[in-house]
Each structure stands twice: as C-alpha cells, then as structure tokens.
Amino acid sequence: MRIHRLRFGALGPFAGEHDIDVDGLGSSTLFLIDGPTGAGKSAIIDAIVFGLYGEVAGQASDKQRLRSSFAAPTAESFVEIEFSTSSGRYRVRRTPEYERPKARGEGTTTAASSVSAWRSAGPESWDHVSSRKAEADAEIREWIGLSRAQFLQTIVLPQGEFATFLKSESRDRQEILQRIFATEIFAGVEQVLRSEEHTSE
C-alpha cells in the first residue's frame, strides 16, 4: 500500500486546511513524521487512520479530539486520502461528527459523520463507489486488505510504543516488538515446538 496524498482541515491542532503531497517527498515507501511535542504529529497519524477506517489511531483515543478547537465555527472538519494498492488507486473523504452553528437561529447542531469513496478510472478521472458508510467501509477494507489493528501494527508504528522501544533496555525490546507487531502467537508456537523437541529427546 502507498499513500499518495493527504488533505485535511479543522483537525486537531490544525485550524485551516492542509495538503500533504506524499509523492512529492520522493519514491521512498518509508517516512518519518518528526517534530517537537505538540507540533501535530499524532494528528497527522489520526487523519490517515480516520480517513481509511473512520477511527483514530490510539486504542484509548476519542474521535471527539478530531475536531479542532482552533477552527472557525463554520469550518468543516474533514480528511481526504488518496492511496493505491495492488488492486488499484483510490480516494476516500470522511468527515467526523462535530458541533456546528445552526443555519437558522442560535445555538449549534450536530453535523453527522460522512464518507465517500472513489476508484481511479484513469488520470484525473474517478468513479464514485459509495457514500453509504457500511458499504464504503467494506469496500475500503477490501482495497487495503488489512484491518485497522493490522494497519497500525504493520504500516503505522504508534508513537508511544516507538518511544518506549527507544528508551527500553535491550532485554525488554523483544517484548515491546511482540506487542507492537502482535507476534505473540508465533512466540507461543516456538515455545510449543521447543517443548515438544525436549520431550522427544
């Protein structure tokens, strides 16, 4: 899987609209999002994961944090992500649920979440696939071929886990890597095979 472009607005600490042209960064398939604390690194990761799966990256995170508290009340919160897999090139646009001013009168109303998905039909040409959430989500999962959990384990390395890994003693790093990449099952199989090997002796 390769992400080509990420657009988002009124998201996390980002009040305005931003456009990240990943293709413009070069042909590498491995990128590091770097910056000081509070720069918005986690918000970019959340934008990617929300665009693809409708959820944020952290297991204990709340989707309510997607709406920027710095954005103008009438600004739309959205994520648009363009990516390709072995099956083709795709574009997904999502908006989270958030409060916005009423069109008439005072107070606010809840803007419902939405999703739209497209499949590339050639240069600058897109076929609309679906705007129905269940149907679009199923199509997107099939395009990617990974569940959200698998995506976080193999494509996006969680910031907190990476920091823990860097600060840990070498003897603890195997356990951390097993947790990040969910390889405990393989460790269990290895343990069973070693046990059977000793038993056969």
Side-chain angles (χ1 to χ4, degrees):
M1 176 187 179
R2 180 180 176 88
I3 295 172
H4 300 285
R5 196 176 204 98
L6 177 69
R7 291 182 60 245
F8 57 88
L11 212 72
F14 302 102
E17 294 189 11
H18 298 270
D19 189 340
I20 301 175
D21 180 6
V22 181
D23 283 347
L25 299 176
S27 59
S28 174
T29 56
L30 181 64
F31 296 94
L32 172 68
I33 300 174
D34 186 31
T37 300
K41 301 183 296 296
S42 295
I44 294 173
I45 298 299
D46 278 340
I48 293 171
V49 178
F50 175 73
L52 297 175
Y53 295 97
E55 300 287 344
V56 292
Q59 295 292 340
S61 299
D62 187 349
K63 277 192 294 186
Q64 296 302 316
R65 76 181 190 186
L66 283 168
R67 174 65 178 176
S68 176
S69 56
F70 304 107
T74 55
E76 181 187 44
S77 291
F78 75 93
V79 172
E80 187 170 296
I81 185 167
E82 189 176 327
F83 65 96
S84 62
T85 67
S86 59
S87 61
R89 187 161 177 148
Y90 309 97
R91 191 173 86 223
V92 178
R93 191 181 198 279
R94 287 188 193 267
T95 63
E97 181 182 288
Y98 64 94
E99 292 297 309
R100 62 170 178 78
K102 290 182 177 179
R104 296 185 180 85
E106 298 181 352
T108 62
T109 186
T110 301
S113 62
S114 67
V115 58
S116 287
W118 296 265
R119 180 187 293 107
S120 175
E124 304 304 319
S125 178
W126 299 89
D127 288 336
H128 185 252
V129 175
S130 181
S131 292
R132 293 194 293 269
K133 186 178 185 308
E135 184 177 68
D137 285 347
E139 289 284 353
I140 295 164
R141 282 195 301 270
E142 185 173 338
W143 296 339
I144 299 171
L146 296 170
S147 67
R148 172 177 166 274
Q150 291 169 329
F151 182 82
L152 291 175
Q153 289 160 6
T154 58
I155 307 297
V156 176
L157 187 62
Q159 178 178 300
E161 294 283 14
F162 187 53
T164 302
F165 176 76
L166 292 177
K167 295 174 184 177
S168 66
E169 298 291 333
S170 57
R171 65 176 178 271
D172 297 324
R173 290 185 177 180
Q174 181 178 357
E175 180 182 342
I176 295 168
L177 287 174
Q178 284 181 351
R179 186 168 67 252
I180 292 173
F181 296 108
T183 59
E184 295 92 342
I185 185 172
F186 302 110
V189 171
E190 180 183 9
Q191 187 175 3
V192 170
L193 292 175
R194 287 184 184 278
S195 175
E196 291 181 353
E197 180 182 15
H198 291 308
T199 303
S200 63
E201 292 176 355

